Amino acid sequence: STYFQDNFNDNDISDWIVARNMQWLDPPSPCLYQGNPTTWKAENGRVGVKIDGPGCVTELIPNNFNLIEGAGYSYSFEMEFTNTVSADRNVIFKYLDSSNWYDLKFYDSTMWFQKVVGDYYRVESTLYPFQDNQTYHFRIELSDNRIKVFVNDVQVWELADSSPYFSGGTIGFQASVGADPNSEVWFDNVVVRSLDPTPTPTP
């Protein structure tokens, strides 16, 4: 069954909220684009953000969607590698707050898994030959403490999750910059589905 979906065809993100928008070295200040605070925008039937300032992070999450506790789920979406693959691009597939989240981070041909639970931080990486100006279909599955990552419907990575954990959460988008100050990322066709088998009706 489908838990959540948004194709952004109405260019409306009023049911999404910015969970965080901060510079690493100056937390009260937001990410910047052309000298002004950057904002997530919906245009041309997709949602995204542009950054060209100092190191920062910003996150966009649904306003009223929470994952079902203990249920396996898949999170699928399209992501554009606009202009170049050499830019930070991120997606959050489990988010509770700024201190508790799972994401995938992309730069060049490297894909990182990052997990933050309070003071705990885990990072692992793998390679994939992403190309400039291409849009890729991603699917992330989280079930029974296994994380599977699919690109264009082909499984490219599998990881075992382990403690510590956190309860609840949602999905979302994340953008950041660090040593490279430029990033542009666009997402589309978000769908969250159950991975649990559908019960057989009783006659």
Side-chain angles (χ1 to χ4, degrees):
S1 60
T2 299
Y3 292 152
F4 177 86
Q5 61 184 354
D6 196 337
N7 59 20
F8 307 104
N9 288 347
D10 57 5
N11 291 324
D12 179 10
I13 54 171
S14 60
D15 51 353
W16 293 73
I17 60 172
V18 176
R20 182 165 57 157
N21 188 355
M22 55 164 276
Q23 295 180 23
W24 297 119
L25 298 180
D26 184 15
S29 298
C31 295
L32 300 178
Y33 181 65
Q34 297 183 344
N36 297 307
T38 195
T39 57
W40 289 88
K41 294 181 178 179
E43 57 184 45
N44 300 320
R46 56 190 185 155
V47 63
V49 67
K50 298 178 182 180
I51 305 171
D52 67 359
C56 72
V57 62
T58 180
E59 293 153 346
L60 188 74
I61 63 173
N63 192 28
N64 288 300
F65 170 65
N66 292 298
L67 296 164
I68 296 175
E69 189 62 35
Y73 65 95
S74 73
Y75 174 23
S76 62
F77 55 92
E78 274 86 52
M79 185 168 64
E80 250 179 61
F81 285 69
T82 311
N83 299 323
T84 175
V85 296
S86 299
D88 282 338
R89 295 181 171 92
N90 314 60
V91 65
I92 308 171
F93 59 96
K94 188 174 172 69
Y95 182 89
L96 182 64
D97 54 39
S98 60
S99 298
N100 297 276
W101 46 270
Y102 295 49
D103 85 350
L104 291 181
K105 175 184 174 69
F106 307 86
Y107 192 94
D108 287 336
S109 297
T110 305
M111 179 165 43
W112 286 269
F113 163 65
Q114 298 183 111
K115 176 180 177 178
V116 175
V117 182
D119 293 331
Y120 171 85
Y121 176 62
R122 172 185 171 186
V123 60
E124 296 187 35
S125 65
T126 190
L127 298 176
Y128 187 88
F130 295 110
Q131 301 294 313
D132 296 348
N133 292 308
Q134 297 296 311
T135 297
Y136 293 90
H137 176 79
F138 292 89
R139 187 172 79 253
I140 304 167
E141 297 183 354
L142 180 56
S143 181
D144 298 324
N145 294 326
R146 305 298 299 180
I147 300 166
K148 298 179 181 180
V149 180
F150 299 77
V151 179
N152 295 337
D153 295 319
V154 176
Q155 183 176 326
V156 298
W157 205 7
E158 181 171 350
L159 304 105
D161 196 10
S162 58
S163 63
Y165 306 104
F166 60 84
S167 299
T170 186
I171 51 91
F173 308 128
Q174 186 183 69
S176 65
V177 294
D180 185 340
N182 296 289
S183 181
E184 179 178 352
V185 62
W186 296 94
F187 299 95
D188 200 1
N189 298 319
V190 174
V191 182
V192 182
R193 292 189 174 95
S194 169
L195 285 179
D196 297 328
T198 303
T200 303
T202 302

